Amino acid sequence: MSATELEATEPGAIHLVDMLAWAQRTGIDLLVEIKEPDAAGAIGAMVAASAWRDRIVVGGFHGPALAAVKASRPDVRTSFMIGSVVAPEELLHLASAYHVDGVHLCWEARASRPHRLLDAALIDRLRRARLAVTLWHEEREDELRVLAALEPDAICTNTPAVLRRIVDAHRALSGAPRSGSGGRVEQEIPIQEHHEKA
């Protein structure tokens, strides 16, 4: 639908360009997920034009859309979101094929204790391939503790204060984090809630 139709359907909806400006003013990192592959070009252009682009990652499940963003805007960071549990070789192959800067493993529905689907060796192997690693959406504190101990670049959660406490405690016990962001906390909030907080 057009922007006018969207605003009529969802009063108060904000535009991506406004969200990018808000993120810069607030000093918050953003993960912009491409839901519609046809929007990839416009999203890539807006992120590339942002002075905050180094703190923004464009992610999505549609690899060719991410490849298109990277081809036209090589300075925009991208992350391939994948819900299927695949072997490390396949992850590396997909990341290479789509020219992404990271992988976002969305495996939370693949096991009752999804942390058992990966280990430090997988994280290390992805890192050696110069890929940032983001882990799925998780709220359970015991699972978050195990995930934080693996030291991914980011973990998505709706309980950022809990995860921040866990990451800080882990950092205090183990010393400085490895390469990567050192425990970035990503909170998944609908844009409308962002707007209300802004």
Side-chain angles (χ1 to χ4, degrees):
M1 62 178 68
S2 69
T4 302
E5 291 168 332
L6 176 62
E7 288 164 358
T9 306
E10 297 286 339
I14 62 172
H15 296 253
L16 178 58
V17 68
D18 297 326
M19 173 63 77
L20 299 179
W22 174 81
Q24 183 174 358
R25 286 192 312 271
T26 311
I28 190 171
D29 293 355
L30 286 182
L31 170 64
V32 178
E33 183 181 348
I34 296 175
K35 299 284 193 181
E36 171 53 55
D38 289 342
I43 289 170
M46 281 188 271
V47 170
S50 170
W52 201 242
R53 70 182 158 274
D54 291 341
R55 302 282 298 273
I56 301 167
V57 174
V58 175
F61 288 92
H62 193 270
L66 296 173
V69 169
K70 203 66 175 172
S72 63
R73 309 290 176 171
D75 56 334
V76 172
R77 290 186 301 150
T78 56
S79 185
F80 180 55
M81 303 172 84
I82 182 166
S84 301
V85 179
V86 297
E89 295 77 18
E90 183 66 13
L91 277 174
L92 292 170
H93 171 75
L94 291 167
S96 175
Y98 299 137
H99 308 287
V100 294
D101 302 290
V103 291
H104 186 147
L105 308 179
C106 302
W107 295 352
E108 65 269 21
R110 300 301 180 195
S112 60
R113 292 296 177 185
H115 75 265
R116 295 179 180 151
L117 299 173
L118 57 103
D119 57 21
L122 172 60
I123 302 288
D124 287 340
R125 185 156 182 198
L126 294 171
R127 278 241 176 80
R128 283 196 308 274
R130 302 175 59 99
L131 293 169
V133 180
T134 300
L135 300 182
W136 56 83
H137 210 279
E138 185 60 64
E139 278 66 55
R140 293 169 293 178
E141 192 163 343
D142 56 341
E143 282 289 298
L144 287 171
R145 273 196 209 92
V146 178
L147 298 181
L150 292 171
E151 298 182 356
D153 294 282
I155 299 171
C156 288
T157 188
N158 276 334
T159 57
V162 172
L163 180 54
R164 178 83 273 154
R165 177 174 40 80
I166 291 168
V167 168
D168 290 346
H170 174 73
R171 188 176 293 163
L173 288 174
S174 64
R178 296 187 298 198
S179 58
S181 72
R184 191 170 73 239
V185 174
E186 291 191 359
Q187 182 177 10
E188 187 172 304
I189 304 178
I191 286 179
Q192 182 64 32
E193 290 183 35
H194 275 300
H195 179 68
E196 290 168 4
K197 290 182 180 183

